[in-house]
Amino acid sequence: MELPELSDGVHLNAYRPSVVANGNTASSLASEESRNFGYFGHDFGGRCSVASSLSESAPTGYETLDAPPHYDFYANTEVWGRRRRFRPSLYQLYANPQDESSPPLYEETSVEHLDRGETSDDEDDEEQKEPPAEPTRFGWVQGVMIRCMLNIWGVILYLRLPWITAQAGIGLTWVIILLSSTITGITGLSTSAIATNGKVKGGGTYFLISRSLGPELGGSIGLIFAFANAVAVAMHTVGFAETVTDLMSEHGAVMVDKTNDIRIIGIITVTFLLGISLAGMAWESKAQVVFFFVIMVSFASYIVGTIIPASPQKQAKGFFSYKADIFAQNFVPGWRGKEGSFFGMFSIFFPSATGILAGANISGDLKNPTVAIPKGTLLAIFFTTMSYLIISATIGACVVRDASGVLNDTLAPSSDYGWDFSECIQNGTCTYGIMNYYQSMSMVSAFAPLITAGIFGATLSSALACLVSAPKVFQCLCKDRLYPLIGFFGKGYGKNDEPLRGYLLTYFIAACFILIAELNTIAPIISNFFLCSYTLINFSCFHASITNSPGWRPSFRFYSKWLSLLGAVCCVVIMFLLTWWAALIAFGIVFCLLGYTLYKKPAVNWGSSVQASSYNIALNQCVGLNQVEDHVKNYRPQCLVLTGPPSSRPALVDLVSCFTKNLSLMMCANVVSGHSPSLVQKEHNEKHVTWLNQRKVKSFYRGVVSSDLRSGVNTLMQGAGLGRIKPNVLLLGFKTSWRNNSPQAAHDYIGILHDAFELQYGVCLLRMKEGLDISCPPQSHINPAFDEGPESVCSTLSRTHLQTSTVSTISSSPEPQPTTVFQKKQAKKTIDVYWLCDDGGLILLLPYLLTRRKRWARCKVRVFVGGQLDKKEEQKQEVLALIKKFRLGFHDVEVIPDIYQSPQPTNVQLFENMVNEYRKDMNPKQGLGCGPNRVCDGPWMITEQDWERNKAKTLRQIRLNEVLQTTPGRLH
């Protein structure tokens, strides 16, 4: 899939067909399909229709004409000389031509596509006259099977397998081989399942894990796997250098000393391998074929040698060709030394079974990875397992455990096979036999130098495979930009996009570890890093299977999620059996890198199984809440906040976030009047959620399009939420512009409060001196009923407590992030709570939740209650006892005894003057005075009966206003 390239000069209006009556619309559509529309993601809902242009006669916004599916729409097929056809995406069909925002990223590649420059029509006209050269691509045999077999065959096959057979016996050696192959086989099945679940690109193991488990685990494993491959180059090269040094010592040739000779030979060897790698994948693949041929010849020489009758010299060293007695003796274990145990032999042999990901690591250089990786990897595991079994059986049937190598031992005719090795066995001085002589395969072979050549081929081929794998994996990781300061090494060169910088970095790391010249120092950590990768691959397959995501449908069916889980557990166990401290180091590095990625939260969307699992967990938990009954101990204020666009009322957002963050539900709501499809799209624009994420506010966003504000809010209150995860508190700003707006707007505002009470919502209003709305009138998504009037809408932008700051964002045009008073540390301020009516305690719970935040922790809470002067102290103690029972921790309570006094006549007169225009005059003669600025009839009008019925309550509220205004110095 590719990101859309909207700069080709093609407009969707040209693509949208008009309905014709001659039945030729299908051919017209086919010709229009040849236009170059960018396709970058799935068409949600599976719609395959094509939108027509908007017109006055089409109130639905689009007309459709069904077109048959075409393969080009869903596959990356390009033929030279013919322009590829694209299907338009939903983003293009519904996009506003004036909207310059970036399209959403649904694409499974790195973010480097966002940096591509726009192409013009002139550039399209200047296309190459000849087709570009095809990059080198390999099939499943040369690209995967041979590469995996060479990486599995190593020094252990030639130098340690006979010794392991002597220690564990043929029977347990087969158990060790089959157990190791079972684990690698399960990993191969898991790899095959993941590799066939969609398109596989470059990056190998990192690509498979990151696209399955997400960037967190994928990035950490990708980095250490690339490093492990780079160090593995040094390990195999040092193994080769040690063999060469031993051969030189046998012939008396020494350059400096053994350690420095290993360093010199190792540096020269890895430089030679680097030259092969830099020459290109074609040369590297040819070198691998040569190494494969050398190893096969060495195997043939060994098999022929087991059949040839043994010479006296070989018999003295313990080789007697095939004997049933020797096979029977060597079939049972013969443990010796501190490593003489089953797990000791298993820990030595298992690293030789690794290397099954060598083919997957060059997935970007395969012709068809989804076919090559399963077939090549599984066949490589099968053939190498058979070779290990055959060699252990044949060497155990031909060579005894102990032999002296002295020809004079033939003087004891009564001994087995005419040789007597009892003296050296008793003295422990035997130097030959499979228990003592590591070069037993060379001794058995028909031509010993071919075994030495096989050892060279096995070590060099493994080193070369790791030298190619490390840069390939690291290049993909660099392009994804999950970690800083590594993007420099992601640049590719040539038709194969070769990571030349990555090759040089791998060469430098390998050279540094070659200077250590100690194989046993670096081998344990490398094995554990590889096992970490195997663990996560198996877990990826298991995790993707149990999520039951519709997107998990691999074409490779021969896998089992439970086998994958077993393979993951076994890999973890083996890590600690091999070297427990190396396993702890590997896990420590993984967790550190995982923590960094979780903290940075890279802007990538790969449709991982973790995302699918999050959905499953959330859904199951929400459904499970249906069985949980409500209880006052578990009450949480779940808030529906009428913010409009959240960025227009940041103070309201910040205040609510203070007592809902990590505690309860917060949902920002917006109501837009109208029915246009463009309004629907704008209302569900992701920029609102992006703004909340940038502000680090844990909130949902929900917008609706409705004919009027009250209906929209009513819809939100009834439909917002899921199951028991639904709002129970409505928060909105105080409508300070009610005198400037129409009476209908004020009536709707009051109606919202009534609707909330009827729907059993708690209601909270926020009022600030400087107002809440910081948006300007030309801005879209403004609810007219929440505007504060033209005199204060834009002026708040210059308030001293609002300072615009710039934040990083993935959007091309980020919205400003204003700083509000609720984001600052409140120091030692006072929160005054007027608990004047019994509301169930919500008014006390909210300030308690505020003081649990660090920025509000030093604030003092004072509770004011109404009372009588003669019972002031008694009522105070009652409220203190009640607060203590609530366990709120408030200790400052004040009783207001004068709250029930009559208000000042001047304030009563001010109130009457303020609401006079809403009083319905019962004198019909004065009805003639109604004008355009006064509405004399409507549900908002106050009759004389209403006035008299609510007079006592009105006077009390006027008195309360007097009390509040005469008590300064409080944070309300």
Side-chain angles (χ1 to χ4, degrees):
M1 295 181 287
E2 300 176 354
L3 282 174
E5 298 180 2
L6 302 178
S7 58
D8 294 336
V10 181
H11 300 283
L12 284 175
N13 288 334
Y15 185 86
R16 297 166 178 168
S18 59
V19 180
V20 294
N22 57 6
N24 293 329
T25 54
S27 60
S28 174
L29 177 63
S31 63
E32 289 293 326
E33 284 175 346
S34 62
R35 297 183 181 273
N36 188 16
F37 286 95
Y39 170 75
F40 68 94
H42 299 290
D43 191 348
F44 301 111
R47 180 183 293 276
C48 58
S49 303
V50 181
S52 65
S53 59
L54 301 178
S55 63
E56 296 294 336
S57 60
T60 58
Y62 54 88
E63 295 175 359
T64 59
L65 181 63
D66 292 332
H70 196 279
Y71 184 79
D72 282 359
F73 295 162
Y74 298 90
N76 187 16
T77 57
E78 294 186 3
V79 179
W80 176 255
R82 177 175 66 84
R83 172 168 289 190
R84 181 187 169 195
R85 295 186 290 181
F86 289 88
R87 181 187 65 157
S89 65
L90 284 182
Y91 173 80
Q92 293 172 303
L93 293 176
Y94 289 98
N96 186 356
Q98 286 75 30
D99 188 3
E100 298 180 356
S101 60
S102 300
L105 182 64
Y106 296 125
E107 203 250 346
E108 288 187 355
T109 57
S110 63
V111 294
E112 66 169 345
H113 296 85
L114 297 176
D115 298 334
R116 290 181 177 177
E118 296 184 350
T119 59
S120 63
D121 292 338
D122 295 336
E123 293 175 342
D124 292 339
D125 295 337
E126 297 176 359
E127 294 179 348
Q128 300 179 9
K129 296 181 179 180
E130 296 181 359
E134 286 292 331
T136 304
R137 294 288 185 262
F138 305 105
W140 67 272
V141 176
Q142 187 176 0
V144 179
M145 189 184 74
I146 291 180
R147 187 176 300 273
C148 289
M149 293 175 69
L150 290 175
N151 217 20
I152 294 173
W153 287 328
V155 178
I156 292 178
L157 171 67
Y158 290 95
L159 302 182
R160 291 294 183 272
L161 185 59
W163 174 69
I164 293 174
T165 304
Q167 288 273 5
I170 298 175
L172 287 183
T173 300
W174 278 20
V175 173
I176 293 173
I177 295 172
L178 292 175
L179 179 59
S180 302
S181 299
T182 299
I183 295 173
T184 56
I186 293 174
T187 306
L189 294 176
S190 301
T191 303
S192 301
I194 299 174
T196 57
N197 188 53
K199 186 176 181 180
V200 179
K201 300 182 180 180
T205 305
Y206 161 71
F207 184 89
L208 297 178
I209 297 177
S210 63
R211 270 54 176 181
S212 296
L213 288 179
E216 295 82 11
L217 284 173
S220 57
I221 283 298
L223 196 59
I224 67 170
F225 188 74
F227 179 78
N229 272 280
V231 181
V233 176
M235 183 185 70
H236 294 298
T237 305
V238 168
F240 168 79
E242 284 184 354
T243 305
V244 175
T245 304
D246 292 340
L247 291 175
M248 292 171 57
S249 299
E250 291 179 3
H251 295 82
V254 178
M255 290 183 288
V256 182
D257 54 57
K258 184 175 181 179
T259 301
N260 287 312
D261 287 356
I262 292 176
R263 292 170 179 167
I264 295 172
I265 296 173
I267 295 296
I268 295 175
T269 303
V270 77
T271 305
F272 171 73
L273 296 177
L274 176 66
I276 296 177
S277 302
L278 294 177
M281 287 296 297
W283 286 94
E284 187 270 344
S285 182
K286 292 177 181 177
Q288 294 284 25
V289 172
V290 172
F291 291 141
F292 182 78
F293 176 77
V294 171
I295 292 175
M296 296 307 296
V297 171
S298 68
F299 285 165
S301 175
Y302 165 76
I303 296 298
V304 172
T306 60
I307 301 174
I308 297 176
S311 63
Q313 290 79 8
K314 290 186 176 182
Q315 290 181 356
K317 295 178 180 180
F319 172 63
F320 297 95
S321 192
Y322 291 105
K323 299 289 184 180
D325 294 342
I326 297 177
F327 180 85
Q329 293 175 4
N330 289 334
F331 189 83
V332 295
W335 308 114
R336 296 182 190 177
K338 61 180 182 179
E339 296 174 339
S341 64
F342 177 82
F343 288 108
M345 294 299 105
F346 182 83
S347 64
I348 294 174
F349 174 80
F350 184 79
S352 68
T354 60
I356 62 173
L357 300 178
N361 286 336
I362 63 165
S363 54
D365 297 303
L366 300 176
K367 293 179 181 178
N368 190 353
T370 57
V371 174
I373 292 177
K375 185 182 296 185
T377 302
L378 295 178
L379 285 177
I381 294 173
F382 174 76
F383 287 129
T384 53
T385 301
M386 295 303 299
S387 65
Y388 280 123
L389 293 174
I390 292 173
I391 291 175
S392 65
T394 54
I395 198 74
C398 297
V399 185
V400 297
R401 280 193 171 98
D402 299 286
S404 63
V406 180
L407 293 176
N408 292 335
D409 288 343
T410 59
L411 299 178
S414 60
S415 62
D416 294 336
Y417 324 118
W419 294 82
D420 185 10
F421 303 127
S422 59
E423 182 178 354
C424 74
I425 293 175
Q426 294 175 358
N427 298 332
T429 57
C430 295
T431 55
Y432 290 95
I434 56 177
M435 182 67 77
N436 308 293
Y437 188 49
Y438 289 154
Q439 299 286 346
S440 295
M441 287 186 64
S442 298
M443 183 261 296
V444 173
S445 174
F447 186 60
L450 288 179
I451 300 298
T452 303
I455 296 175
F456 289 170
T459 54
L460 293 179
S461 63
S462 298
L464 186 58
C466 294
L467 184 59
V468 172
S469 298
K472 295 288 185 180
V473 174
F474 193 60
Q475 182 186 34
C476 184
L477 180 64
C478 294
K479 289 182 177 181
D480 286 339
R481 302 178 185 176
L482 300 182
Y483 301 103
L485 306 177
I486 63 174
F488 173 81
F489 299 99
K491 183 176 177 57
Y493 297 88
K495 61 182 181 179
N496 271 16
D497 197 30
E498 294 289 345
L500 301 184
R501 298 175 180 177
Y503 283 131
L504 296 177
L505 177 63
T506 305
Y507 170 79
F508 176 77
I509 295 175
C512 291
F513 279 87
I514 287 174
L515 296 179
I516 298 176
E518 181 58 46
L519 195 64
N520 295 334
T521 302
I522 56 180
I525 298 180
I526 293 176
S527 298
N528 279 277
F529 281 164
F530 282 121
L531 282 170
C532 269
S533 302
Y534 296 168
T535 301
L536 286 182
I537 286 180
N538 285 305
F539 183 74
S540 299
C541 183
F542 167 75
H543 195 263
S545 299
I546 63 173
T547 56
N548 294 321
S549 174
W552 173 253
R553 45 183 190 274
S555 57
F556 182 84
R557 299 293 183 181
F558 305 101
Y559 74 96
S560 171
K561 58 184 178 182
W562 302 114
L563 274 180
S564 299
L565 179 61
L566 177 63
V569 173
C570 290
C571 288
V572 174
V573 173
I574 291 172
M575 288 177 64
F576 286 92
L577 288 178
L578 294 179
T579 313
W580 65 267
W581 56 267
L584 292 178
I585 292 176
F587 279 114
I589 295 176
V590 170
F591 288 140
C592 290
L593 296 175
L594 174 63
Y596 174 83
T597 312
L598 289 173
Y599 173 76
K600 296 298 292 184
K601 296 180 180 178
V604 294
N605 183 11
W606 294 329
S608 64
S609 61
V610 174
Q611 295 172 332
S613 177
S614 300
Y615 175 85
N616 286 351
I617 294 173
L619 182 61
N620 292 332
Q621 293 296 326
C622 288
V623 174
L625 281 177
N626 292 333
Q627 303 175 5
V628 179
E629 298 294 334
D630 291 331
H631 195 278
V632 65
K633 291 183 179 180
N634 297 324
Y635 175 84
R636 295 170 184 261
Q638 303 183 105
C639 303
L640 177 65
V641 192
L642 300 184
T643 59
S647 58
S648 66
R649 291 174 181 80
L652 184 58
V653 172
D654 294 335
L655 175 62
V656 180
S657 177
C658 286
F659 54 80
T660 60
K661 185 177 182 181
N662 299 326
L663 176 69
S664 58
L665 173 69
M666 176 182 175
M667 181 178 294
C668 295
N670 187 14
V671 180
V672 175
S673 300
H675 296 285
S676 171
S678 61
L679 286 177
V680 177
Q681 181 189 4
K682 290 179 181 178
E683 192 46 44
H684 294 84
N685 200 317
E686 290 294 329
K687 71 177 183 179
H688 301 307
V689 178
T690 302
W691 186 88
L692 290 170
N693 293 336
Q694 293 168 358
R695 203 170 183 83
K696 297 182 180 180
V697 174
K698 295 186 177 181
S699 171
F700 296 97
Y701 172 80
R702 181 68 181 272
V704 296
V705 178
S706 180
S707 58
D708 60 87
L709 175 66
R710 183 176 179 181
S711 300
V713 174
N714 197 291
T715 301
L716 285 169
M717 288 191 293
Q718 296 187 63
L722 180 65
R724 293 191 179 274
I725 306 295
K726 61 182 179 181
N728 53 25
V729 177
L730 178 69
L731 293 103
L732 66 165
F734 182 82
K735 186 172 179 59
T736 58
S737 60
W738 64 273
R739 300 181 65 183
N740 301 322
N741 290 141
S742 65
Q744 181 65 47
H747 177 72
D748 288 344
Y749 182 83
I750 300 298
I752 291 173
L753 304 181
H754 290 169
D755 294 341
F757 289 131
E758 291 178 0
L759 293 172
Q760 300 181 0
Y761 271 69
V763 177
C764 299
L765 302 181
L766 176 62
R767 184 178 186 182
M768 301 176 67
K769 294 181 180 179
E770 59 276 2
L772 297 177
D773 199 336
I774 65 169
S775 59
C776 295
Q779 183 176 345
S780 60
H781 305 298
I782 298 302
N783 294 329
F786 285 135
D787 287 348
E788 300 180 14
E791 71 278 4
S792 61
V793 169
C794 296
S795 60
T796 54
L797 287 174
S798 59
R799 301 284 181 175
T800 55
H801 82 289
L802 290 177
Q803 299 176 353
T804 302
S805 61
T806 304
V807 296
S808 61
T809 175
I810 59 174
S811 175
S812 59
S813 56
E815 292 191 55
Q817 291 282 352
T819 302
T820 66
V821 66
F822 299 113
Q823 290 180 308
K824 301 177 181 178
K825 193 171 183 179
Q826 300 301 322
K828 293 184 178 180
K829 294 185 179 181
T830 302
I831 303 176
D832 289 346
V833 180
Y834 290 84
W835 195 16
L836 303 178
C837 61
D838 193 351
D839 58 355
L842 178 62
I843 197 171
L844 295 178
L845 179 62
L846 295 184
Y848 167 75
L849 296 177
L850 281 178
T851 55
R852 291 177 61 181
R853 302 299 176 192
K854 184 180 296 186
R855 71 184 68 159
W856 296 82
R858 302 180 65 185
C859 291
K860 177 184 177 182
V861 179
R862 290 190 300 185
V863 180
F864 292 84
V865 295
Q868 300 177 3
L869 183 60
D870 56 344
K871 297 182 179 180
K872 180 177 179 180
E873 190 62 29
E874 180 182 348
Q875 291 175 341
K876 178 179 179 179
Q877 293 302 322
E878 289 180 356
V879 175
L880 281 173
L882 190 59
I883 293 176
K884 183 178 181 180
K885 183 179 180 180
F886 290 161
R887 305 175 307 281
L888 296 175
F890 305 155
H891 304 289
D892 197 347
V893 175
E894 294 187 17
V895 179
I896 307 176
D898 55 351
I899 194 173
Y900 299 109
Q901 297 178 2
S902 299
Q904 299 293 330
T906 55
N907 292 330
V908 176
Q909 186 61 42
L910 286 174
F911 176 77
E912 290 180 356
N913 295 336
M914 187 169 53
V915 300
N916 270 341
E917 61 178 315
Y918 295 99
R919 294 187 64 178
K920 190 171 184 180
D921 195 342
M922 302 305 295
N923 188 353
K925 292 183 179 180
Q926 296 188 9
L928 300 175
C930 295
N933 295 328
R934 180 175 178 183
V935 181
C936 297
D937 193 14
W940 50 83
M941 299 304 293
I942 304 172
T943 64
E944 288 298 327
Q945 291 83 354
D946 295 334
W947 181 266
E948 293 297 330
R949 184 171 59 250
N950 295 282
K951 189 172 184 178
K953 186 176 181 179
T954 301
L955 294 177
R956 184 189 176 193
Q957 299 300 325
I958 296 174
R959 176 56 185 163
L960 177 60
N961 179 265
E962 293 176 353
V963 173
L964 293 176
Q965 292 189 1
T966 56
T967 310
R970 298 171 183 145
L971 177 62
H972 303 300

